[in-house]
Amino acid sequence: MKLLLLEDDDLLADSLAEMLEDNGYRLDIASSIREAEAFVTTQEYALAILDLGLPDGSGLDLLARWRQQHRDIPVLILTARDTWEDKVVGLRGGADDYLTKPFHEAELLARLHALLRRHTGGSTQYLQVSGIQLDEQMQSVSRDGEQWEPLTATEFRLLRYLMHHPDRVHSKDQLLDQLYALDQDAAASNLVEVYIAKLRRRLGRELIVTRRGQGYLFASH
């Protein structure tokens, strides 16, 4: 699952990227509003984390433009502006949540999980589709209530994306885009096939369907 971070503090951005990647996310980092606008027009993100004071303007103005354009991407504002008036302005401006700096990593993760659950209609840390249960915090999977098995980081990212978007055909490029950030070296072209095969061995072949010439689909029934 890929997130966008708009943050002009390089140290904080790198620290957040490391922490979020350790927790199964992929992150593209924009250090300016212009860069963030370019990213959202070409990439698909599950959620955006926005700072407010940027070198080329306000994150609030960017958020207002996204909402005017009917972009429904969940947005968490992460800022040093910590008065209740600031929070009211941010939430009324279209943000889905508001967290002030300094913050605790566990709180940020909990808020991200809650936003993503609400956006996809989930209500717990467990994602369940077709008898498959995915524990998004422990990064483990269970089939039909059997013993939980830990997933590798890449297996987890791929399965979570497929389960959050069941019954949709995803091309190899779309799946690869969710596994790797833009600033990483290009992944091997067969990486998606390799990890689809690993998941099928764990979960059974029937759940992940190949659409020849189109991509893959996680069947919900």
Side-chain angles (χ1 to χ4, degrees), residues 107-120:
E107 183 179 2
L108 174 62
L109 282 174
R111 288 173 182 262
L112 292 180
H113 290 156
L115 283 176
L116 291 169
R117 282 201 309 270
R118 287 205 296 271
H119 194 65
T120 56

Side-chain angles (χ1 to χ4, degrees), residues 96-112:
D96 298 276
D97 200 356
Y98 193 110
L99 182 62
T100 58
K101 304 172 183 173
F103 57 92
H104 196 289
E105 290 182 357
E107 183 179 2
L108 174 62
L109 282 174
R111 288 173 182 262
L112 292 180

Side-chain angles (χ1 to χ4, degrees), residues 32-165:
S32 68
I33 288 177
R34 185 178 64 176
E35 214 175 353
E37 286 189 304
F39 278 147
V40 296
T41 58
T42 59
Q43 304 294 315
E44 179 186 353
Y45 297 103
L47 183 146
I49 303 169
L50 302 186
D51 192 5
L52 296 184
L54 284 306
D56 56 348
S58 167
L60 282 175
D61 293 338
L62 174 63
L63 177 57
R65 283 196 293 277
W66 284 356
R67 295 318 187 211
Q68 288 165 5
Q69 295 164 0
H70 304 294
R71 292 188 187 278
D72 64 350
I73 179 173
V75 169
L76 168 69
I77 289 178
L78 184 63
T79 177
R81 300 178 187 176
D82 60 357
T83 69
W84 68 265
E85 292 94 339
D86 290 326
K87 295 173 186 175
V88 169
V89 169
L91 293 168
R92 286 183 173 171
D96 298 276
D97 200 356
Y98 193 110
L99 182 62
T100 58
K101 304 172 183 173
F103 57 92
H104 196 289
E105 290 182 357
E107 183 179 2
L108 174 62
L109 282 174
R111 288 173 182 262
L112 292 180
H113 290 156
L115 283 176
L116 291 169
R117 282 201 309 270
R118 287 205 296 271
H119 194 65
T120 56
S123 58
T124 72
Q125 73 185 64
Y126 301 102
L127 184 61
Q128 183 161 330
V129 182
S130 293
I132 303 298
Q133 272 193 308
L134 182 69
D135 186 327
E136 296 190 78
Q137 291 187 16
M138 299 304 293
Q139 301 188 14
S140 58
V141 67
S142 170
R143 178 166 190 173
D144 298 327
E146 296 177 355
Q147 186 174 359
W148 288 93
E149 297 181 21
L151 296 165
T152 67
T154 303
E155 288 172 340
F156 171 68
R157 288 197 297 273
L158 180 57
L159 181 58
R160 179 169 60 180
Y161 185 73
L162 290 170
M163 290 181 68
H164 270 288
H165 305 88

